[in-house]
């Protein structure tokens, strides 16, 4: 004899299915939080590689489109272009990130997440803070890659709306 499933059981099954699929039914989704966290970590690692002058890691963290826009068709060419030694000691630099915000496609840039990354130097350099807005997009094998980088001016702000605005005007 077949069991009857009432409306409450159907709703319960749908809710569990959405949760297992990474969605919470609100449009944001638990899976979206995980994707945002992965994008944030990728942005932090990219910025840290740049601070550490690990140009190979920084170049690998960029999309092919971004590397080509800088005149580099390969990782080796990207390293050569960006591998300029900097003046000063940045060994005490700290990298922090802001909250990830979804950004829609704009110009040649696909949709993804935008967020602020900040590099601060204190004692060994002349005390400098820089803020950038990064657009991260899904790459191959689930990796998040930097597709756009825009310097943020302090007068623009550094919140999620300032990041979104910067990524939509450049």
């Amino acid at each position: 004899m077949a069991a009857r499933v009432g409306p409450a059981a159907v709703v319960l099954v749908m809710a569990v299915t959405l949760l297992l699929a990474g969605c919470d039914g609100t449009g944001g989704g638990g899976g979206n939080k995980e994707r945002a966290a992965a994008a944030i970590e990728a942005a932090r690692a990219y910025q840290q590689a740049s601070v550490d002058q690990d140009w190979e890691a920084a170049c690998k963290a960029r999309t092919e489109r971004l590397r080509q826009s800088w005149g580099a068709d390969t990782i080796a060419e990207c390293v050569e272009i960006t591998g300029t030694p900097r003046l000063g000691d940045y060994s005490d630099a700290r990298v922090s990130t802001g909250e990830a915000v979804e950004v829609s496609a704009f110009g040649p840039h696909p949709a993804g997440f935008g967020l602020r990354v900040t590099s601060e130097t204190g004692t060994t350099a002349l005390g400098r803070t820089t803020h950038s807005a990064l657009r991260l997009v899904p790459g191959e094998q689930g990796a998040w890659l930097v597709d756009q980088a825009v310097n943020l001016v302090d007068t623009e702000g550094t919140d999620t709306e300032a990041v979104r605005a910067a990524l939509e005007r450049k």
Side-chain angles (χ1 to χ4, degrees):
M1 179 162 102
R4 293 183 50 157
V5 179
V10 170
V11 170
L12 180 62
V13 169
M14 286 177 57
V16 169
T17 302
L18 287 171
L19 285 172
L20 291 174
C23 300
D24 65 3
T26 62
N32 214 29
K33 288 180 184 177
E34 290 172 4
R35 293 177 69 226
I40 290 169
E41 179 53 30
R44 190 210 56 75
Y46 167 79
Q47 191 67 23
Q48 189 65 55
S50 296
V51 166
D52 294 342
Q53 296 185 9
D54 182 352
W55 304 124
E56 185 171 349
C59 288
K60 286 180 179 177
R62 296 174 183 147
T63 61
E64 183 177 345
R65 193 212 59 76
L66 179 58
R67 287 193 312 265
Q68 288 178 345
S69 75
W70 291 352
D73 289 327
T74 66
I75 298 293
E77 289 174 351
C78 178
V79 169
E80 186 177 325
I81 290 168
T82 55
T84 306
R86 67 171 63 106
L87 300 174
D89 178 8
Y90 290 83
S91 61
D92 68 338
R94 293 183 317 271
V95 172
S96 62
T97 59
E99 182 181 341
V101 60
E102 288 187 52
V103 291
S104 55
F106 178 76
H109 306 290
F113 285 105
L115 61 121
R116 172 202 41 84
V117 293
T118 300
S119 297
E120 297 177 83
T121 58
T123 57
T124 59
L126 296 174
R128 181 178 151 183
T129 300
T130 59
H131 303 286
S132 300
L134 299 181
R135 175 186 300 264
L136 285 101
V137 299
E140 295 178 14
Q141 302 171 354
W144 286 91
L145 301 174
V146 176
D147 190 67
Q148 184 181 16
V150 178
N151 290 330
L152 292 173
V153 180
D154 287 333
T155 58
E156 295 174 314
T158 59
D159 63 3
T160 55
E161 289 310 310
V163 166
R164 184 178 278 135
L167 295 174
E168 290 179 351
R169 74 168 175 267
K170 302 264 182 184

